[in-house]
Amino acid sequence: MLAFLRARGFVLSVFFLVGLLCAALPMHAPAAEDAKVERHAGTELAATAPLTMEGDIASQLVDGVDKFLLRKIDESVGKRERHWKRDFSSAEAYNKSIEPNRKRLADILGIRDERVKFDAPELVATTKQSALVGKGENYEIYAIRWPVLEDPDPNRSDVIVYGEGLLCLPAGDKKPIADVIAIPDADQTPEQIVGLAEGVLPESQFARRLAEAGCRVVIPVLISRELKQRNGRATLTNREYLYRGGFEVGRHLIGYEVQKVLATVDWFERNHLATGENTGGSAASTETDAKPRIGVIGYGEGAMVALFAAALDSRVRSTFVAGLPGDISDTWRGPIDRNVFGIRGHFAATDILALVAPRALFFDFVSGPLLELPATGGAPAVLDTSTYEIESLNPSYGHIKDALAKHGVVWNCLVKISTESSPLDFDEELLGKFGDVLDVVLPTVSTTTQNWIAVKSDTTHRQSRQIAEIDRHTQLVLRESPYVRERYMKRLYDAANTKDLAAYEKVADEYRETFYDDVIGRFDDVLLPANPRSRKAYDKKKWTGYEVVLDVFPDVIAYGVLLVPKDMKPGEKRPVVVCQHGLEGRPQHLIEGDHAAYHDFAAKLCERGFITFAPQNLYIFGDRFRSLQRKANPLGKTLFSVIVPQHQQITDWLKTLPMVDGERIGFYGLSYGGKSAMRIPPLVKNYCLSICSADFNEWVDKNASTRSPHSYVWTGEYEIFEWDLASTFNYAEMAALIAPRPFMVERGHFDSVASDETVAYEFAKVRHHYAARLGLGDRCEIEWFVGPHTINGKGTFAFLHKHLKWPERE
């Protein structure tokens, strides 16, 4: 689809200019034979105010939604507290009271799979390379890996995902003082922070310093930000590549990396070596020594993983985070792999810190990694520590600290802002306090020498293995997803089998509510009065066209073009077809110019006697509209969180027009408009039918597959991915929410959106639902035609005439 439209970018531009000229030029007076339709003779539609907006209304629409979303981001700060019920009366009570918040955080990070239990990490070695890769004066360094996740198929137990990295152990028979997981930034290697590779100054090699102090240290490798061209198409970072498919199946790269850390915590707990010994004599050693002394420390991306791991797991005693780039709850500016659906609606940065309380936490605002990603198919981004809400962090965490202190609970939490520091120049006081909690005294500067034992580690192949393992797990979750959705939809399918439409609708409404709240994302704003404004834009032989603008929310408008047949009789009411454009489209493309994809189908339907309305949807202007999805996602919202209310307002307004039969309003969309046809009619009941053209397919697979050549994983549509559709609503399930209203698919054999086989596979489920379960086979159709990504306008037109009860003309 997209390649098809881009190939015609020049034509699109011409149509756009023509549309602007048509809006600007004065209209000719109605022809004499049309004079009898007096109510359409003015410059605006009856019962509307004059439309006086100048310039590109589509651009103003996108700008308005941007303002609306930025305001919602600001407003979310005051609404998050409703998700918290903190009990400060004791450390135990506090931990219990925040446990639901921990579970919520784990869920939105995609931490949903049970971790593998294991006795000890495996040594990674070959006949050429020993697992013992380095030595210091009092410790040894080993290459290791450890199992994390199994095949999601309940009938299999193959380990799919491993953590991999380095292990530092005290030399000889000496027992470790504490267990620490040291996590480098995504663009650092474990070898760099332990001193076996260049790139980090000795005083900043925090893993090495912990090993020298007598700790057992695990240093996991993170997925890097290396940019690569994928499948000969978009150029993405390794992290965005894994983010894309994982997001669609309810898994997240951040979650995978946190799971690797927590799997190490599992091992430390089962096999801690400092049990029963009071090795340091500090105040920290008065804690129950039967419990392991576990710490996590990280820099950059590693700081984010460390903080989330500590927030989720109370077994971590001491946490140190440094150089955390960007606010973890305000991620739309940063790399898209940090896009966590719904995090802003539940957690500020201070809330994540509060999940660590009352355990020790040390937050060092040293300079983090700096990064600017170009728009080369992946999402453009800027990574910068300065985007953190530093000014609000101290008073917020201080409030929690004071509330705990009133009940005698001491929270050892310190935050320092090192404004003039260089990367990895950690605050020594904070680092020392982190060690104190674990009974560890860190040397201020590395004093020992190190050496490689054998050939240096192949970090490139190790990175490739880590990428391949996460990708494989995502693909196996994708493979299991049809069975997950089948179980999820069972109540609705059982209701359909009764053939009792009233009972079906009752259960379907419950699913529609879930679809709106959890998948699309619902704003709780009440629609504004529509305040319709219009002006005549077309005066053709058979119909008149009006540009129309309606208010939806503050700063949010709906805009489109209404076409009204000129042969309407006084008092007559006719059906309406809402005709929806695709990516980068405009209402005008559906009306004139014979666009290669649309073929003027809004005008042709009007010539058949239908009233038509062509709305302007949000998906226009490239990165401008895609950034709207980036802003909406952290709120638990999507583009359709705005588009659905726009269509609700449009159809509510259409029903007020004297020439409209409000019970006969149909939806017909192509491409991104076909995507709209699957998401809007389930939630806007004013639509009595829906036609999906040039989009219907096995949608979850198209978004998550790293095998299919049609997959969005390889393309520039970085906004297209929707959180966890794999577990809830693929296109067959969305169609079940449209049912029992009529539904149709229009499919060209040469449409590169998908293969015929995958379209047929998904449609077969829809047909079965309508015909076999509901007994309504006459309401569900598909038309196959020999053609590309385009409106065919034959079977679909007949479908509209049939179900909108409007006779076909000669």
Side-chain angles (χ1 to χ4, degrees), residues 199 258 418 431 454:
V258 170
S418 304
L431 200 57

Side-chain angles (χ1 to χ4, degrees), residues 156-174:
R156 300 181 66 90
S157 58
D158 304 330
V159 176
I160 303 300
V161 177
Y162 288 85
E164 195 164 351
L166 300 178
L167 169 66
C168 300
L169 287 175
D173 297 330
K174 188 174 181 181

Side-chain angles (χ1 to χ4, degrees), residues 118-123 144-147 167 216 218 264 267 271:
F118 61 98
D119 292 330
E122 303 170 12
L123 297 176
I144 62 166
R145 71 170 191 169
W146 58 98
L167 169 66
R216 176 171 58 176
V218 171
T264 310
W267 174 57
N271 299 277

